[in-house]
Amino acid sequence: MENLSTATFGGGCFWCVEAVIQRLKGVETIKSGYSDGFIKNPAYREVCTGRTGHAEVIQVTFNPDIISYHDLITVFMTSHDPTTLNRQGGDSGTQYRSIVLYHDEEQKEIAEKVFQEVQSVYADPIVTQLKPFEVFYEAEDYHQNYYNNNQEAGYCQFVIDPKVQKLKKMYADKLIG
């Protein structure tokens, strides 16, 4: 049986983060959802108001024998802008904050190390939150696997496609098929 691990992070719209991370070798499953808020079982319409405290996040089940947490978090940190507070592109609000929710002390230490390693890529300081994981609420079905199911949509073509293309250039050796 495989030795699987879990990672949880958000970097703007969960559709974008999901589309990038799901293309990596060793990623078994991804669920889009909400975390780090103060109400139970929030709905998308509530999270979008910015009043629930939640961030849009993905929860990733991965095989650390194929992709390390270090590599996973490095891809995450270089596939969005971790220097903008509560914003990614046109998406603005606390629900779009950059956040890493660690599941144990080892993940916390690795994330701190990666933050330092990738800081040189950015002119501005990294503002990604690093917090302990508490709870994950799965988003509605239509948010799952969004990019793969909606590639003809304008948002996918103009916002997500460039992120996927950047991933292909930077991490071709880590991608599936």
Side-chain angles (χ1 to χ4, degrees):
M1 185 163 162
E2 295 182 52
N3 176 30
L4 300 179
S5 294
T6 303
T8 307
F9 35 77
C13 175
F14 45 35
W15 298 340
C16 295
V17 182
E18 176 194 65
V20 168
I21 300 300
Q22 74 186 165
R23 284 162 171 67
L24 298 172
K25 293 177 190 172
V27 169
E28 297 289 324
T29 62
I30 293 185
K31 293 291 182 185
S32 291
Y34 319 108
S35 195
D36 196 44
F38 49 83
I39 68 167
K40 292 182 179 180
N41 298 309
Y44 182 68
R45 69 182 180 284
E46 296 168 316
V47 173
C48 284
T49 69
R51 289 184 247 148
T52 68
H54 291 89
E56 288 191 15
V57 299
I58 60 167
Q59 190 152 69
V60 182
T61 304
F62 66 101
N63 184 335
D65 294 331
I66 298 173
I67 186 164
S68 68
Y69 184 74
H70 181 278
D71 287 352
L72 189 67
I73 203 104
T74 299
V75 170
F76 164 69
M77 290 296 291
T78 56
S79 66
H80 77 291
D81 184 352
T83 69
T84 55
L85 186 63
N86 301 328
R87 172 185 282 307
Q88 286 297 305
D91 295 326
S92 178
T94 58
Q95 67 272 26
Y96 300 115
R97 66 188 176 273
S98 179
I99 188 168
V100 172
L101 298 162
Y102 58 88
H103 290 258
D104 57 35
E105 285 301 309
E106 182 181 14
Q107 282 190 355
K108 179 184 179 186
E109 291 169 13
I110 292 168
E112 289 171 338
K113 181 179 178 185
V114 170
F115 287 12
Q116 291 174 353
E117 290 171 358
V118 302
Q119 179 59 69
S120 65
V121 174
Y122 301 102
D124 296 319
I126 289 174
V127 296
T128 302
Q129 293 180 322
L130 181 61
K131 299 174 84 174
F133 173 81
E134 292 182 14
V135 65
F136 172 81
Y137 299 104
E138 190 173 323
E140 296 80 356
D141 286 344
Y142 69 93
H143 291 297
Q144 308 304 326
N145 203 29
Y146 188 84
Y147 176 73
N148 290 339
N149 291 333
N150 298 282
Q151 289 188 18
E152 299 305 315
Y155 188 87
C156 293
Q157 292 181 354
F158 296 106
V159 178
I160 302 175
D161 276 346
K163 291 176 181 283
V164 171
Q165 295 309 313
K166 177 181 174 183
L167 174 76
K168 288 178 180 178
K169 288 180 185 173
M170 291 180 65
Y171 300 106
D173 62 320
K174 296 190 183 325
L175 300 179
I176 55 175

